[in-house]
Structures are given as structure tokens and as C-alpha cells.
Amino acid sequence: MIKNRLIQNAKKIDKFLINYLNRQERSLLINPMKYGVISGGKKIRSTVILSAGKIFNVDQKKLINICAAVECIHSYSLIHDDLPCMDNDLIRRGKPSTHSKFGEASAVLAGNSLLTLAFEIIADKNYFINPKSKNEIIKSLAFCSGHTGVAGGQELDLKFENKKKSLKQIMAMQKKKTGKLFNFCLFAVGVLANRNNKEKKFLSTLGEEIGLLFQIADDFLDVKGSRKLVGKSIRKDNKKGKSTLINLMGYKKAQNYANNLKKKILLKLNKHGKKADELLNIIEFILKRNY
Ligand code: GRG
């Protein structure tokens, strides 16, 4: 059920991105950009956005630009994460990582171009949303992607290698590296649903917790997953001395931590009743997934 939903959403977002890129002036970077962002990836962040939109009856068409922008930022971060100067990975989504296919320089530039494309997609004059909301969304996407978000979290992740870090430090790093983009996903839905500041804050925090759960699940996959299903190298965190919850407290305790976090998230969705069912199922999937 959720798997079908993910496939449907992936098709929708890929189609949007292909059309968008095809309408742009040609450049040598289009191929590595398409390779990095289209046809691959679960599009879980997009699915979180579309499902959260259902809670507030937000027109799904208004969410496509947000989904596409988030997938561009996410894919840029993966392309750069795989570079030799970062995690140095040759396989991503079951195929050669972008730099191993197109070379390092093209991968860096394709990643940069996906990052800026995300903002272009939201700022687009044909994306008809209230200008004040557009501004709020662009500001939040910048905050969640840069040094206060994904990039800042990645820097901490690299600096924490082979160091003994506390639970608080690990959580703060993972909240930035993975949580902030999920934070943006729910915040943007809140903006488009015309929620007040308090509710937008609530949604941002909820998104960040979903992101954290997603990251912990990713850490489980690194230990117990199958390389074929996951589509990337596994058993790396230990070798690289990564600061993860599992390396800090062990697999069993990390599982308990994740289950409690999941319960906390589900409880927060209770107030939305049946309208939150799809998002609820995605949260269950996030922790159970084997890819
Ligand atoms: C290089 C700026 C910069 C940031 C890198 C995203 C990231 C930060 C590093 C990638 C490694 C990692 C474990 C990131 C945590 C986020 C994560 C679990 C990414 C994988 O996301 P999925 O499973 O990927 O949604 P697909 O392939 O399905 O899109």
C-alpha cells in the first residue's frame, strides 16, 4: 500500500522534474543532474509532504513544486555526500554514484545546480501561491539546507568521526543533517494551509522528529540491511567510526529509543484523526523499511 503510494508519487515528481529541466536552456550539466535526481530514490520526503497536505486539505497540485524542490536538495546532498572528500561512495540507489559516472568536477557542479534549481522551482512565476507564503517557504528552505541545516549537519557528521560524542550531540547533528529537510516539508505544508505561527512551529518540530526517526532507521539498515535492497554500501558506520545512536548505546537500546520516538510522533498526529492515516502509515513504514 505505502510502497505503491511511493511509486506513484515518485512517477509524479520525476515527470515534473523532467518537464521542468527539458524546458530549460540546454547545458552540459543537465545529464548528471537528471542522473542524480530522477529515476531512483524512494521520494519519501515528497510522500510525507503530500500525505501531510491531506490532513489540511491542501490542493495536491500546489505541493508538487515543494516536493520537487525538496528532492533536488536531497539529491544534491547525496551527490556531494558520495564524493571522495566526504563519504567516498561508488554506489548510490543501486547504480554508480554521480561522480563515479560523470567525474568529480561534474558531480560537484551538478549538485550545486540542483541546489539552486530547488529555489528556482519555488520562485517560478508559474507557481501560483501567495507571494508572502512563497517568501516564507524560500526562507525556510534556505535555513534548513545551509549551515544551519543539512550542510551544517554534514560538517558535524564528518567532524564527529572517531570521536566519543554524547547522545545530545549526536541527536543535534542528526537533526540538522537529516531532520531539517523533513522539518521544511511539514513547515511548507503549514504555510500553504495558512496555519498560524504556533501550528507551523509544531509542524516543524514534528517534521524534525520524523527526520530523526528516518535517520535512526537508516542507521539500522547500515548494520542489518542488505546491500542489494538498500542500493548503497552498508556496514560503513562502524568502519568509519561514525557517531550514531547504535554506536553509542548498542542496537537493542537504539531500537527502544526509536520505538519511543515513533510513539511520540504518532501521539502528536492523534488530534487529526483519520485524515492523518496516510502519514501515520508512512511513519510506520519509515521504521520498518528494509530499503
Ligand atoms: C553533502 C551538504 C551535504 C549533505 C549530506 C544527506 C546527507 C547530508 C548525507 C547522506 C548520508 C546520510 C546517511 C544521510 C542521512 C539522510 C539519509 C538517510 C539519506 C538517504 O535518504 P533516502 O533513503 O534516499 O531517502 P533515497 O535514495 O531513497 O532518495
Side-chain angles (χ1 to χ4, degrees):
M1 165 76 175
I2 281 298
K3 284 187 185 167
N4 288 342
R5 172 78 52 216
L6 286 165
I7 293 168
Q8 274 172 16
N9 289 342
K11 279 192 188 145
K12 205 160 34 177
I13 310 304
D14 280 349
K15 192 168 160 208
F16 176 96
L17 283 164
I18 291 168
N19 287 337
Y20 202 92
L21 283 167
N22 285 348
R23 281 200 305 272
Q24 297 209 313
E25 194 184 302
R26 304 305 303 156
S27 85
L28 292 176
L29 289 171
I30 295 255
N31 281 342
M33 285 166 78
K34 280 187 176 167
Y35 184 83
V37 72
I38 293 160
S39 305
K42 293 175 286 300
K43 305 285 194 289
I44 194 102
R45 293 156 190 78
S46 292
T47 303
V48 166
I49 293 169
L50 294 168
S51 307
K54 287 183 185 163
I55 299 178
F56 303 105
N57 303 318
V58 179
D59 179 358
Q60 297 271 298
K61 285 196 205 99
K62 282 200 175 156
L63 293 171
I64 302 299
N65 290 55
I66 305 289
C67 295
V70 165
E71 296 301 339
C72 285
I73 303 261
H74 167 58
S75 295
Y76 125 73
S77 78
L78 296 181
I79 294 172
H80 282 195
D81 183 64
D82 290 336
L83 290 169
C85 63
M86 298 219 190
D87 273 0
N88 194 14
D89 253 307
L90 294 174
I91 299 288
R92 171 71 62 184
R93 295 170 171 164
K95 50 186 194 181
S97 47
T98 306
H99 73 274
S100 46
K101 171 107 177 152
F102 293 91
E104 250 182 272
S106 300
V108 169
L109 296 170
N112 292 345
S113 303
L114 284 172
L115 171 63
T116 52
L117 185 70
F119 291 93
E120 206 178 327
I121 287 172
I122 294 181
D124 199 300
K125 69 176 182 346
N126 293 320
Y127 181 38
F128 299 111
I129 57 168
N130 163 333
K132 203 168 154 246
S133 303
K134 204 179 251 200
N135 200 50
E136 209 179 347
I137 287 172
I138 290 173
K139 173 89 173 28
S140 168
L141 186 59
F143 181 79
C144 290
S145 307
H147 71 102
T148 43
V150 178
Q154 174 77 349
E155 174 75 356
L156 289 173
D157 177 274
L158 296 166
K159 292 286 177 321
F160 283 6
E161 279 181 9
N162 298 311
K163 304 234 166 63
K164 181 109 189 82
K165 293 290 162 188
S166 66
L167 177 64
K168 203 169 154 208
Q169 287 172 308
I170 296 172
M171 289 300 113
M173 174 270 284
Q174 296 195 335
K175 271 192 181 168
K176 275 186 165 185
K177 183 176 87 161
T178 314
K180 283 286 184 225
L181 202 52
F182 281 86
N183 166 324
F184 170 77
C185 295
L186 287 205
F187 175 82
V189 170
V191 173
L192 291 174
N194 295 316
R195 299 290 106 181
N196 64 28
N197 285 342
K198 195 171 161 219
E199 284 174 279
K200 283 185 285 194
K201 177 88 193 93
F202 175 86
L203 286 167
S204 293
T205 307
L206 181 65
E208 211 157 288
E209 287 163 352
I210 296 174
L212 194 53
L213 188 70
F214 186 84
Q215 178 60 59
I216 302 171
D218 198 72
D219 296 342
F220 291 142
L221 287 177
D222 182 76
V223 176
K224 293 254 166 98
S226 123
R227 182 177 181 273
K228 201 160 171 231
L229 287 175
V230 179
K232 61 179 179 182
S233 322
I234 52 169
R235 322 259 188 271
K236 264 181 4 187
D237 290 348
N238 215 1
K239 265 185 240 151
K240 292 194 148 205
K242 288 282 183 195
S243 286
T244 66
L245 205 59
I246 303 174
N247 286 344
L248 179 80
M249 57 174 72
Y251 197 88
K252 191 89 205 111
K253 280 196 182 150
Q255 260 182 330
N256 290 339
Y257 188 97
N259 277 321
N260 288 334
L261 178 60
K262 186 188 80 176
K263 278 188 207 147
K264 182 176 160 193
I265 294 168
L266 295 182
L267 215 66
K268 285 191 178 183
L269 285 172
N270 260 352
K271 64 176 181 182
H272 295 294
K274 286 212 95 34
K275 282 191 162 182
D277 275 359
E278 196 174 295
L279 187 55
L280 219 120
N281 288 334
I282 293 165
I283 289 152
E284 293 287 355
F285 167 81
I286 282 179
L287 197 53
K288 276 204 306 253
R289 68 202 170 96
N290 58 4
Y291 69 105

